[in-house]
Amino acid sequence: MENLQTTYLGLKLRNPLIAGSCGLTNSIDNIKELANKGVGAIVVKSIFEEQINVEIEKVIKTGLGNVETFTKAPDTILSKRIYDYDEAYSYIYDFAKRNTLEKYLDFLKEAKKSIDIPVIASINCVSNQDWYSFAKKIQDTKVDALELNIYILPSDWRRSGEDNERIYYNIISEVRNYVTLPIAVKMGYYFSSIAQSVQKLSQTGIKGLVLFNRPYNTDFDIDKISLSHGSIYSSPEEFTHTLRWISILSGHVDCDLSASTGVHDHKAFIKQLLAGATTVQIASALYREGFDVIPEILNKTSDWMNKHGFTDVNAFRGKLNKANLENPAAIERVQFMKLYSGIE
Ligand SMILES: Cc1cc2nc3c(=O)[nH]c(=O)nc-3n(C[C@H](O)[C@H](O)[C@H](O)COP(=O)(O)O)c2cc1C
C-alpha cells in the first residue's frame, strides 16, 4: 500500500481516515473492529453534559432511583429527597454526574488498552465549569487528544454574532488552562464571517479544527402536522459544503483541519485531502455501508495514488486548495456564471 501516514494534532496516524464520534464508537468491540479494519484514529462518542442533566431530572421528577446510574447510590438518597428536596437534589445531581463521568473515564481507559491507534475523547458541555472539569479528568485517562464538540445554533435573537463567537473562545481558553492534551474543536458553520472566525480560532493554541458539526435538521410531518427531524445520516452529496471551506481555509490557518460530513467513499476522501484536509472523519458511512467501507476507501485511495504517481499523502494534500487566491468568492462567481450561461 502507498504511504498514507499523517500527523494530526501532533499524533502519528497510519492514515488520515478517522472514525468520527458517533454511536458506533461507544463500544469496545466496535472500537477494536474499527482499528482492525484500518482507521488511523478513533473519536469516541461524546459525553454530553445535557444528557446527564436530562437523566437526573427524570429520576428526580419520578422519585424513582431505577436508572442504572443510580444503582450504586446509597439508600439515603431517596429518603433525603423526601425530607429535604434541595439538599437531595444537589446530592443526586453531583452523584449522578460523577457516576456518569466515571463510566465514561473507565470506557476511555479500556479503549486505550484495547487498541494501538490514537484514541480521541469528545465532550459537549453547556456550563463553563464542566467543560474544564470533564477535560481535566479525561486527561488522566491517558487518551491521546480531546475533541471539544461545540454546538451553537445562533437562534437567540438577544445574542449577537460576537456573543456567540465568544462562547467558543471562552471554552477553549478555560479548557487550555487546565489541560495539556492536544485539543481539536469541532465547530458549526453559522458564523457571519466564517473565514475570519476559523482563522482566529486556529490561533487560540488548539491543534485542530473539525469542519463541521452536522446540525440536527428540522423537518415537519405533514400527516401528523407535527415537528419531525431530517435524516440522522448524511448523504454522499453533502461532502461539497465541507470541501468548499477546507479548500478556502487550508493554508490560511494555524492548525490542522479535519473534514467531516458527507464522506462515504474514496472519491470524497481523496477530494478532502486535495482540498488540504489533514484528516477526514466518517460516521454515516459506517452506519450505511458497514465497517468494510474502511478498507475499501483505503485500498482505492492507494490505487489512485499509484495511478497518479503519488508515493505519500503530502505529495497531493492541498494541491487543489484556494490558499493562493485573493478572493475565492470572485472565482466561484465567474465559474457559476459560466456554468449557468451554458444552460438554456
Ligand atoms: C448516530 C450518530 C451519532 C453521533 N454522535 C455524535 C457525538 O456524540 N459527538 C459528535 O461530536 N458527533 C456526533 N455525530 C456526528 C458525526 O461525528 C459527524 O460529525 C456527522 O455525522 C457528519 O459526518 P458524516 O457525514 O460522516 O456522518 C453523530 C452522528 C451520528 C450519525
Side-chain angles (χ1 to χ4, degrees):
M1 191 179 272
E2 312 306 307
N3 181 6
L4 286 166
Q5 275 176 23
T6 294
T7 303
Y8 175 58
L9 313 178
L11 309 165
K12 283 212 157 54
L13 269 56
R14 58 185 167 179
N15 65 65
L17 184 62
I18 294 181
S21 179
C22 66
L24 295 172
T25 59
N26 205 19
S27 97
I28 296 295
D29 284 348
N30 279 347
I31 281 182
K32 284 186 188 162
E33 200 188 335
L34 289 164
N36 279 339
K37 292 285 179 188
V39 287
I42 293 175
V43 187
V44 172
K45 169 98 183 130
S46 308
I47 180 164
F48 287 91
E49 182 196 347
E50 258 171 323
Q51 198 177 340
I52 302 176
N53 293 349
V54 169
E55 289 298 326
I56 296 167
E57 287 295 329
K58 240 194 293 177
V59 171
I60 287 174
K61 273 197 190 123
T62 57
L64 297 170
N66 60 351
V67 170
E68 203 208 331
T69 313
F70 296 92
T71 51
K72 286 194 249 158
D75 293 343
T76 48
I77 287 183
L78 289 178
S79 52
K80 259 175 178 282
R81 180 189 171 277
I82 294 159
Y83 296 116
D84 181 350
Y85 187 87
D86 285 346
E87 198 189 334
Y89 184 96
S90 67
Y91 192 80
I92 293 176
Y93 187 84
D94 289 345
F95 178 85
K97 193 175 269 188
R98 251 198 335 270
N99 204 268
T100 312
L101 181 60
E102 268 161 27
K103 274 190 194 159
Y104 189 69
L105 299 175
D106 287 345
F107 179 74
L108 294 178
K109 285 182 206 156
E110 189 64 27
K112 209 35 218 152
K113 272 194 274 171
S114 310
I115 54 175
D116 54 9
I117 55 169
V119 174
I120 302 171
S122 168
I123 55 176
N124 178 298
C125 296
V126 278
S127 60
N128 254 355
Q129 191 208 325
D130 278 340
W131 278 104
Y132 71 78
S133 77
F134 281 23
K136 216 164 113 199
K137 292 195 171 111
I138 284 171
Q139 173 155 273
D140 297 335
T141 65
K142 307 271 186 284
V143 287
D144 300 278
L146 176 64
E147 199 171 275
L148 305 176
N149 168 13
I150 307 180
Y151 184 93
I152 298 168
L153 191 70
S155 57
D156 184 340
W157 50 87
R158 291 161 301 187
R159 299 182 67 87
S160 69
E162 250 174 48
D163 292 338
N164 286 321
E165 266 185 44
R166 204 170 308 117
I167 299 175
Y168 280 89
Y169 296 116
N170 289 345
I171 293 169
I172 293 169
S173 114
E174 278 295 330
V175 173
R176 286 199 68 238
N177 274 340
Y178 291 88
V179 162
T180 51
L181 269 181
I183 294 171
V185 169
K186 187 172 189 180
M187 57 181 287
Y189 44 76
Y190 294 113
F191 288 84
S192 53
S193 181
I194 192 158
Q196 193 185 69
S197 301
V198 169
Q199 191 177 55
K200 275 163 61 189
L201 284 168
S202 80
Q203 292 161 350
T204 55
I206 57 172
K207 296 274 189 256
L209 278 163
V210 183
L211 311 182
F212 293 102
N213 235 330
R214 184 170 179 271
Y216 177 87
N217 290 316
T218 305
D219 202 354
F220 295 152
D221 182 323
I222 59 167
D223 292 320
K224 293 185 189 150
I225 314 193
S226 64
L227 278 179
S228 153
H229 59 76
S231 172
I232 291 172
Y233 305 125
S234 68
S235 64
E237 294 75 40
E238 287 179 52
F239 79 91
T240 53
H241 175 69
T242 300
L243 188 71
R244 163 182 283 152
W245 289 108
I246 297 270
S247 96
I248 288 175
L249 294 163
S250 71
H252 285 290
V253 290
D254 292 359
C255 70
D256 296 333
L257 295 178
S258 187
S260 167
T261 298
V263 176
H264 288 246
D265 59 21
H266 71 287
K267 289 184 186 164
F269 176 69
I270 293 169
K271 287 175 194 180
Q272 299 293 3
L273 296 172
L274 282 168
T278 308
T279 55
V280 181
Q281 305 198 5
I282 53 168
S284 297
L286 297 171
Y287 285 93
R288 285 183 185 259
E289 272 80 49
F291 291 5
D292 282 338
V293 75
I294 297 162
E296 193 174 320
I297 290 177
L298 295 173
N299 290 333
K300 288 188 172 167
T301 300
S302 220
D303 293 346
W304 174 88
M305 285 169 68
N306 191 16
K307 185 172 152 197
H308 291 273
F310 297 126
T311 48
D312 72 82
V313 178
N314 288 327
F316 69 93
R317 176 183 283 119
K319 237 180 169 5
L320 295 182
N321 73 10
K322 296 181 179 169
N324 299 323
L325 302 180
E326 192 59 42
N327 182 3
I331 306 292
E332 288 210 9
R333 193 166 156 69
V334 171
Q335 285 176 337
F336 156 85
M337 283 188 299
K338 265 200 238 161
L339 181 70
Y340 279 70
S341 58
I343 299 174
E344 298 298 331

